[in-house]
Each structure stands twice: as structure tokens, then as C-alpha cells.
Amino acid sequence: MLQDLFTPSVLHSLDLAGIFVFAISGALLAVRRNFDVFGMAVLAEVTALGGGLFRDLVIGAVPPAAFTDLGYFLMPLVATVLVFFLHPVVERTQAAVNVFDAAGLGLFCVAGTTKAYEYGLGLTQSAVLGLATAVGGGVLRDVLANEAPSLLRWDRDLYAVPAIVGSTLVVLFIRFEMLNPFTSALAALAAFLLRLLALRYRWRAPRAWNRRSTAVERPDEQKATA
């Protein structure tokens, strides 16, 4: 299983790294929305921990890891402090943040799917919960910021699709008894690379066939916040 891929300390470090970059995206959105430091901390915490918290509550892994490991709670606060003082610099390094965000997406969709299956969910349900683990925090972030979730917007580069691909690969490997450290890493890598390609080539999901809407992307919406 996924836990066999890394030692516990390395896996924990990767979790914290993913939490950190997700928290940065939440804090940056708070800056763009002109929130105060408390609002920044709230969005950072929700973005970083929301998906995993939802997963743990659904599968009955209580108390959730977010409430048993102090590092999970403190890391978003560290990201908030960083963005509070250095947000112009962080904005300029958005490309690097996106790379780490994509890595977190790949790791979390695989970890979420695997953990859900280990707690007794079926294959389809495990894949759905893996997707929720990866993207749930971003949805909560956008809702709290009074924005249409980036996950649902046509003018955002693919985000859910890479997570779906990663989660689907995991359940296929489980179904054919092929899940091992190598295939787990392969699923995470697939989600990671697909997200990076979507960012590079501006890949987006298709809209309704023969739609009549004249909605266009506004100039201030061209920069993805996911």
C-alpha cells in the first residue's frame, strides 16, 4: 500500500509539503480579496486541510489527522505568515507554487483513494473520495471567498481531471491486484504531469454542446487561483 512507498517520516514530510503549498494558494486568494490576517489564516487552513478532513470524517478515521498532528495545523499558519509579509514575492513565484500544488494534488488523490479503500469502501467510492481529498480544500476556499469554485469554472485549467485520473489508476491497480509502491508512484506521477500539462497548454474541460451562452473570460479571471 501507499505507506510502503515511503518511510513514515518521509510520508509525513510530503504531507506537510502538500499542506504548505495548498495553504499558500488559500492565503494568496485572501490577499487578492483584501482579507485581513485572520481571513488569510482561515482560508489557508481550510484549503490545506479541508479535503483530508472530509475524507477522514466520511471513512470514520476519527479524530481526523488534522486534529491529532500539531504540524498539520501549524503549517498553514506558517504559510499565512509568509504570504502576509512576502506576498509580492510569492506572487512572482506562482509558477513554482503551481508545480508543488500539482505534486500535492497527485500525492493526495492517491493517498485519499488508498486510505478510503483500506477503511472498507468500494473501488468507485474510494476513487471519489480520493478526488474529494485532492480538491475539497480548494472548493471550500472559493466558497468562503465568495467565488464560484475554480473546480466548476470553464475558464480554469484542468484540475479535477488529473485527480480523477490518479484516483482511477489506483482503483484499477487495486482491482487487478497490481497496487504496489511502483504503481502508486505511477498514479501520483500521472496526476502530477497531467496537471502541469494543463497549466502549460491551457487545457480545459469542454462546455455544453452547441451552447448559446455568450460568456467570455474576463481579463481579471485569466490567472488561475487553483
Side-chain angles (χ1 to χ4, degrees), residues 91-124:
E91 290 275 13
R92 289 196 295 270
T93 60
Q94 186 63 44
V97 172
N98 286 338
V99 171
F100 285 105
D101 181 80
L105 182 79
L107 176 64
F108 284 3
C109 73
V110 172
T113 302
T114 304
K115 187 171 183 178
Y117 184 76
E118 289 177 340
Y119 271 76
L121 269 65
L123 293 178
T124 301

Side-chain angles (χ1 to χ4, degrees), residues 128-214:
V128 170
L129 203 51
L131 169 63
T133 303
V135 305
V139 172
L140 292 174
R141 172 201 65 203
D142 293 341
V143 169
L144 289 177
N146 198 29
E147 291 194 354
S150 299
L151 181 70
L152 307 178
R153 293 176 56 173
W154 69 271
D155 58 342
R156 292 291 186 256
D157 303 326
L158 294 179
Y159 196 76
V161 171
I164 292 172
V165 170
S167 297
T168 301
L169 285 174
V170 172
V171 297
L172 286 176
F173 290 142
I174 293 173
R175 172 65 178 80
F176 294 103
E177 299 183 353
M178 296 173 58
L179 188 66
N180 55 50
F182 174 77
T183 55
S184 296
L186 184 64
L189 182 63
F192 170 68
L193 292 178
L194 184 56
R195 172 59 178 163
L196 290 185
L197 289 171
L199 289 168
R200 173 66 177 82
Y201 296 106
R202 307 300 300 275
W203 290 346
R204 296 170 179 173
R207 287 181 282 174
W209 176 259
N210 198 28
R211 69 182 182 87
R212 296 182 180 276
S213 172
T214 59

